[in-house]
Amino acid sequence: MDIDALLDDAGTRIVVCCGSGGVGKTTTAAALGVRAAERGRKAVVLTIDPARRLAQSMGLTELDNTPRKVAGIDESAGGELHAMMLDMKRTFDEVVVQHSDPERARAIIDNPFYQSLSAGFAGTQEYMAMEKLGQLRALDAWDLIVVDTPPSRSALDFLDAPKRLGSFLDGRFIRLLMAPAKVGGRAGVKFLNVGMSMMTGVLSKVMGAHLLKDVQTFVAAMDSMFGGFRSRADATYKLLQAGGTAFLVVAAPERDALREASYFVERLAAEDMPLAGLVLNRVHGSGAAQLTAERALAAAEALAEETADAAGTDEPDPSDSEDSSTPRLTREFDESAENLQNGGIVDQPGGKAGLRTADGTEGTLSTDHSTSDPTDPDADPWSADRLAAGLLRLHAERMQLVARERRTRDRFVSVHPEVPMVDVAALPGDVHDLEGLREIGERLAQGQPTAA
């Protein structure tokens, strides 16, 4: 997959990054925005993920519902970058104020049921994400909009927003609550007092009289806006299906993440959404890939045997007790774990690329006893050999990890051979600034399948 061609194409106006949690969607979206801006596009990044890492990476003290310009971007090519985070309630308030008169808008915003609905009602966030995307596109102030989505399968819930909203508005319960307002006058009061007396009596006991009145007041005030909600949601849905939109599925080279990626690919195809490809993030490799795990382990064993023979002792057993006088290197890592759990691959402090074991603890390199300096003429003459053997075993573990990631990747390719892919090599440290985002952008643009 050619990322630069996608970003440079003036016809590409929206890029949506979706995928399961913890695979780097936010970082990928931010890196795409930085790279697009520095290649001449006027871009804005919209994040729906509640994490605030995007603001930190872009040097912003805060992100809110208003796009903020990102400083430090190279604008020599004519581009610039803005970033924002979806504020669900503020977006809902803006829609209410924009599409109703001031008196009705105030009545809606002050309504207790509306306040609960706009603050965290199920599905509201996804619908408001569509509203904000539609607003940004309608402004036509940016060449490119990059959208970061919530984690897990809810990342595509905004595709269901128009259907869910239509079902809600057309539901029997809402129609009953809207009926008195539509009838109006004494007839409406009579209908409410006679035709709905039994239903309202039951609902008052279940919901409480005040809540039922709040819901009825809210529905009556929102009645004139319901059609506008549906039409705008449908328009944004069609915008996502248009040729100027590109979906990027982001995944890690782990079995569960790629299973979710497969779900996204199939769902996008079912919804006729344009899929640009899959970004396989945090792929591990080795600077000595020609040295296989088998050869590294064999060399480690040979060194251990030579050291033991030279010392006139048996080869030290890795399972020796802690009171052994022989220094040894240990690596706490479960090689049988086909799919790493609890976050998978992470970066250790100090810029050292590390592994996470199946039980969630970080694998550590340690010595049972302090070792002497190999350059010291009085040092243990076999310390260097023991150190080399330990490093060879660590290399073997890395190569086993690389092979496992390749097998997982190949299984996905066998199911979806038509999906373009780009591999992004893992960085040795966390991304926390623009330089890190630029590095991710370079790896996105130059990513190639990692050799096992």
Side-chain angles (χ1 to χ4, degrees), residues 160-172 174-175 230:
D160 294 327
K163 186 184 300 182
R164 186 185 299 114
L165 180 66
S167 299
F168 173 73
L169 298 181
D170 295 332
R172 183 177 302 175
I174 294 298
R175 291 202 304 269
R230 186 183 290 107

Side-chain angles (χ1 to χ4, degrees), residues 388-401:
L391 292 175
L392 283 167
R393 291 190 179 99
L394 292 180
H395 174 75
E397 290 178 4
R398 170 53 63 94
M399 294 307 296
Q400 289 168 353
L401 172 64

Side-chain angles (χ1 to χ4, degrees), residues 292-357:
T292 64
E294 293 76 11
R295 290 175 58 195
L297 287 174
E301 293 301 320
L303 279 173
E305 290 176 1
E306 290 177 5
T307 302
D309 291 343
T313 60
D314 293 333
E315 178 185 352
D317 188 343
S319 62
D320 285 345
S321 61
E322 293 184 359
D323 60 358
S324 170
S325 60
T326 305
R328 71 172 186 275
L329 296 169
T330 60
R331 181 71 172 180
E332 300 172 3
F333 180 67
D334 182 4
E335 295 182 4
S336 65
E338 173 65 18
N339 182 44
L340 303 180
Q341 303 295 324
N342 299 325
I345 308 302
V346 299
D347 293 318
Q348 293 184 350
K352 302 294 185 181
L355 303 177
R356 184 179 290 276
T357 59

Side-chain angles (χ1 to χ4, degrees), residues 10-239:
T12 302
R13 303 298 302 274
I14 299 173
V15 174
V16 182
C17 297
C18 55
S20 58
V23 296
K25 291 190 311 298
T26 301
T27 302
T28 299
L32 290 171
V34 171
R35 189 165 184 84
E38 295 188 335
R39 293 178 67 86
R41 302 295 298 272
K42 191 174 182 181
V44 59
V45 177
L46 165 63
T47 179
I48 308 170
D49 191 332
R52 300 278 173 171
R53 291 181 59 248
L54 181 62
Q56 299 170 0
S57 298
M58 294 187 169
L60 300 175
T61 57
E62 63 177 326
L63 285 178
D64 55 23
N65 221 38
T66 302
R68 296 175 178 269
K69 189 173 182 179
V70 179
I73 297 296
D74 182 1
E75 300 181 355
S76 59
E80 60 183 60
L81 179 64
H82 291 75
M84 63 173 295
M85 177 179 288
L86 177 71
D87 186 322
M88 182 172 60
K89 189 179 187 313
R90 280 191 57 186
T91 301
F92 210 149
D93 292 347
E94 290 171 1
V95 172
V96 170
V97 171
Q98 183 179 358
H99 298 281
S100 60
D101 59 79
E103 183 177 352
R104 177 167 292 191
R106 177 51 54 192
I108 294 172
I109 293 175
D110 291 342
N111 184 279
F113 180 75
Y114 167 80
Q115 292 173 3
S116 298
L117 176 72
S118 60
F121 198 74
T124 306
Q125 184 185 53
E126 288 75 22
Y127 177 77
M128 288 303 129
M130 292 191 70
E131 281 280 354
K132 180 54 67 174
L133 175 59
Q135 290 174 11
L136 292 175
R137 186 65 182 87
L139 289 174
D140 201 26
W142 294 277
D143 300 333
L144 179 66
I145 303 171
V146 183
V147 182
D148 173 35
T149 59
S152 191
R153 295 192 177 186
S154 64
L156 291 180
D157 279 353
F158 63 91
L159 298 181
D160 294 327
K163 186 184 300 182
R164 186 185 299 114
L165 180 66
S167 299
F168 173 73
L169 298 181
D170 295 332
R172 183 177 302 175
F173 177 69
I174 294 298
R175 291 202 304 269
L176 285 172
L177 293 177
M178 290 172 61
K182 288 187 174 181
V183 172
R186 294 182 178 178
V189 175
K190 184 178 180 180
F191 177 82
L192 180 62
N193 291 336
V194 179
M196 298 184 67
S197 58
M198 183 177 296
M199 184 194 76
T200 54
V202 174
L203 290 177
S204 294
K205 292 179 181 179
V206 176
M207 303 171 60
H210 289 294
L211 177 58
L212 179 60
K213 183 177 180 181
D214 290 339
V215 173
Q216 291 173 331
T217 303
F218 166 76
V219 171
M222 292 285 288
D223 182 24
S224 61
M225 297 180 57
F226 284 157
F229 276 118
R230 186 183 290 107
S231 62
R232 288 192 304 278
D234 290 340
T236 306
Y237 186 84
K238 293 177 181 178
L239 182 64

